[in-house]
Amino acid sequence: MADIALTGATGTVGGMAARLLADAGVSMRLLVRDPSRAPDLPGTEVRRAEYGGDACGAALTGIDTALMVSTHESTDRVEVHQAFVQAAADAGVRQVVYLSFVGAGDGAGFLLARDHGATEKILRDSGLAFTFLRDNFYAEAIAGFAGDDGALRGPAGDGRVAAVSQRDVAAVAAHILADPRPHAGRSYDLTGPEALTLDQIAATLIEVTGRPHRFVDETMDEARASRAVYDAPAWLVDAWISTYTAIRDGELERVSDAVPTLLGRPAMSFAEAMRAAAAGHTT
C-alpha cells in the first residue's frame, strides 16, 4: 500500500516527480481531479480528489507524506490550500512537502509569493511536519513569457533572475519524498546555477530556438497597457507585472546551492533547461 501521495501529477513538476519515483520502484498514490489525465505508472494508484472536502480526506487516508503542489492563482487560493492542509491533518498525514516560492512572505515583491507565505504559515501552525521547496521562477515558464513576436516585456531593468529548471525541482521533490524524514522542518531555495538578466535570457533563447527574441523594458504604465488585451482582473495584472519588478529589485538573483547539494550534481543552466525542453525530454 502506498504511503506517499502526490498532487499535481497531471502537471509538469508533479508528473515528472511521479515518473522519477516510479522509476525508482517507489509506490505512490496520485490525487487528481481528472483520472483520465493521470500518468500510467507502475506501483501507482489514482484517486479522484480536489483540494479539501471529503474526497480529499479519503484519498489521503493511510498516507504518511504528501506532495502539495500549489494551485493556480485565484482570489481564494490560500483558502483552498488551507482546506487541503486541514484534510491532510484530519486524515493522519504526517508530513507535507509543499512547492512554495523563493522569498515567500507578506513582504514579497512578487505578489503571488505572498500566497505561498500564507500557506507556509498554515502548514507551520497545523502541527504537521513540513518541508518547503521554495522555487525561483521556472526557466521553462520564463521562456513562455515571450509574446508571438519573441519579446519579453516588463519592467525588469537590469535585474537578474536565478531561474530553476522544472526538471531539477521535480528531481528534488522525488528525492525528498523517497526519504522525507531527514527533511522535516527544512526549507530549500531551489535556483539555477546562474543569475541572468532578461537580455541574457533573450540571447539564450535565440541561440537555442533559432527564433528572434528580445527584452523590452517597460514602464509600469506600458506594462499595464500591453496586458490590457487579456482583459484580466486588476489584481492578476498586478501579479503578472510584479514578476518583472521583483526581478528588477533584486529579489530573485540569489543563487542557492540546494539543488546540487541535494542531488549530488550541478543544477541545470538556463540554456540546458531550454535545450532539454526543446528536445522534449521529460526527466
Side-chain angles (χ1 to χ4, degrees):
M1 179 178 175
D3 63 359
I4 294 173
L6 284 77
T7 65
T10 58
T12 302
V13 173
M16 288 180 179
R19 290 179 177 88
L20 289 168
L21 288 167
D23 289 346
V26 177
S27 61
M28 75 200 88
R29 185 179 299 168
L30 306 181
L31 277 58
V32 298
R33 287 178 293 180
D34 182 359
S36 69
R37 296 181 57 221
D40 183 12
L41 300 171
T44 64
E45 55 178 309
V46 177
R47 299 282 188 92
R48 183 194 300 272
E50 297 192 15
Y51 274 18
D54 294 340
C56 187
L60 288 168
T61 299
I63 292 298
D64 177 88
T65 303
L67 175 66
M68 180 183 175
V69 177
S70 56
T71 62
H72 293 296
E73 57 268 19
S74 66
T75 55
D76 64 346
R77 188 187 202 187
V78 175
E79 289 76 11
V80 172
H81 286 178
Q82 186 168 27
F84 179 85
V85 173
Q86 187 61 57
D90 291 345
V93 172
R94 182 171 178 180
Q95 185 169 339
V96 171
V97 179
Y98 174 59
L99 284 190
S100 186
F101 193 82
V102 168
D106 291 343
F110 175 50
L111 298 180
L112 297 179
R114 300 180 184 183
D115 290 350
H116 290 292
T119 303
E120 288 188 3
K121 184 178 187 305
I122 289 167
L123 279 162
R124 290 182 188 277
D125 293 344
S126 69
L128 297 169
F130 60 83
T131 305
F132 299 145
L133 304 185
R134 291 175 171 166
D135 313 334
N136 205 302
F137 285 124
Y138 293 142
E140 297 84 352
I142 288 180
F145 292 167
D148 293 339
D149 60 354
L152 296 160
R153 290 185 169 84
D158 294 325
R160 294 175 178 268
V161 55
V164 63
S165 170
Q166 291 172 318
R167 289 160 177 79
D168 281 345
V169 174
V172 168
H175 171 77
I176 289 174
L177 289 167
D179 186 18
R181 216 62 71 225
H183 305 282
R186 302 290 301 275
S187 299
Y188 299 107
D189 287 352
L190 304 184
T191 76
E194 59 199 345
L196 302 176
T197 67
L198 292 191
D199 278 320
Q200 291 173 315
I201 284 173
T204 301
L205 289 171
I206 294 172
E207 176 187 346
V208 172
T209 68
R211 298 190 299 272
H213 285 82
R214 71 189 191 280
F215 167 52
V216 179
D217 187 22
E218 296 179 314
T219 65
M220 294 295 289
D221 287 342
E222 288 170 340
R224 290 193 175 90
S226 66
R227 288 155 179 80
V229 296
Y230 299 106
D231 196 26
W235 70 266
L236 186 55
V237 172
D238 287 343
W240 289 342
I241 295 172
S242 74
T243 300
Y244 296 87
T245 55
I247 294 172
R248 179 197 67 196
D249 296 341
E251 294 187 16
L252 300 166
E253 66 183 9
R254 191 180 76 84
V255 173
S256 163
D257 65 355
V259 169
T261 297
L262 290 165
L263 299 182
R265 62 162 175 79
M268 295 179 72
S269 69
F270 184 82
E272 289 169 336
M274 292 302 95
R275 292 190 185 102
H281 296 168
T282 57
T283 57

